[in-house]
Amino acid sequence: DSGVTQTPKHLITATGQRVTLRCSPRSGDLSVYWYQQSLDQGLQFLIHYYNGEERAKGNILERFSAQQFPDLHSELNLSSLELGDSALYFCASSDTGGNTIYFGEGSWLTVV
Amino acid sequence: GQQLNQSPQSMFIQEGEDVSMNCTSSSIFNTWLWYKQEPGEGPVLLIALYKAGELTSNGRLTAQFGITRKDSFLNISASIPSDVGIYFCAGRGGNAGKSTFGDGTTLTVKP
């Protein structure tokens, strides 16, 4: 158990819909990262938040957005969903030094 | 942006054999991380390397941080069936605030 908690674990939704994925980082970690992993592909960095502020952006679509709240949990919002958005979405967290990141178990999104 | 080349892409080995995989980059990293991912689960950190030249072991796993800071390798000795999974390397630079991941090495171990 990495200490990073993600919900929901599985989600099936229709195209055009909007979903919110939730992440609670490890206790004390200020950084939260979101990654997307499509079938048979590597981990694509989406976005990094540190103590509520956006720090870095990767290949995140405009239809996607994220935020980190004062209690340090984070949400990834995916809107106008397309079939190609079906993937595993991972949240990870790290401490202030940020040298080592720990992953949650992921949220499996299926868009039908 | 920073790119990592991880090789090999996949490996099919017999139980008991040793395994070696590596990651190279044109960029310098301050930290190298190795993860293992099993189907349907999140990547689990295996080894973290923080200093050029550092050699670190975790059981049958050994990883090294290249002295040029542009590469790292992971060795698994005497492989067993439960070593099956996808192994990812990740490099972390000073300013990016994020880790760059390799595309993974898929390991299959035949009993």
Side-chain angles (χ1 to χ4, degrees):
Chain A
D1 183 4
S2 67
V4 179
T5 304
Q6 288 186 248
T7 56
K9 290 197 180 334
H10 298 93
L11 188 58
I12 301 174
T13 190
T15 53
Q17 295 298 305
R18 172 191 170 95
V19 299
T20 297
L21 309 180
R22 194 179 191 278
C23 170
S24 294
R26 293 188 321 155
S27 176
D29 283 358
L30 299 181
S31 275
V32 169
Y33 310 81
W34 286 97
Y35 288 84
Q36 179 193 55
Q37 186 178 41
S38 301
L39 194 63
D40 295 332
Q41 292 193 7
L43 292 155
Q44 300 297 317
F45 169 72
L46 296 178
I47 199 162
H48 168 212
Y49 276 84
Y50 177 82
N51 202 20
E53 293 187 3
E54 182 186 303
R55 278 295 178 90
K57 238 177 184 177
N59 301 321
I60 187 167
L61 300 171
E62 286 190 8
R63 300 183 286 109
F64 296 179
S65 65
Q67 52 184 328
Q68 186 179 27
F69 295 87
D71 67 352
L72 301 177
H73 91 270
S74 178
E75 292 181 355
L76 179 66
N77 301 298
L78 315 174
S79 62
S80 302
L81 285 167
E82 302 175 359
L83 296 177
D85 296 329
S86 296
L88 259 172
Y89 291 84
F90 288 106
C91 171
S93 74
S94 67
D95 60 17
T96 303
N99 285 323
T100 306
I101 63 174
Y102 297 88
F103 284 82
E105 294 188 346
S107 291
W108 185 270
L109 173 66
T110 302
V111 182
V112 297
Chain B
Q2 296 170 322
Q3 298 287 332
L4 282 185
N5 297 309
Q6 184 171 353
S7 64
Q9 186 175 6
S10 60
M11 302 182 75
F12 296 84
I13 62 168
Q14 205 71 37
E15 182 177 359
E17 291 183 0
D18 297 343
V19 171
S20 184
M21 59 191 80
N22 69 85
C23 276
T24 60
S25 173
S26 57
S27 303
I28 289 174
F29 290 109
N30 295 328
T31 302
W32 282 96
L33 308 170
W34 285 93
Y35 292 85
K36 177 187 178 186
Q37 184 180 23
E38 298 187 16
E41 298 184 10
V44 174
L45 182 66
L46 298 174
I47 292 179
L49 302 161
Y50 301 111
K51 194 163 38 173
E54 181 180 355
L55 183 72
T56 298
S57 292
N58 178 6
R60 293 178 294 104
L61 278 62
T62 302
Q64 184 158 29
F65 193 145
I67 57 173
T68 65
R69 293 166 62 194
K70 295 181 178 181
D71 63 327
S72 177
F73 71 75
L74 174 71
N75 288 339
I76 306 174
S77 62
S79 59
I80 58 178
S82 63
D83 289 334
V84 164
I86 304 175
Y87 291 80
F88 289 100
C89 65
R92 187 176 181 87
N95 298 322
K98 64 178 179 67
S99 296
T100 301
F101 280 80
D103 288 338
T105 295
T106 301
L107 178 64
T108 303
V109 180
K110 292 179 280 189

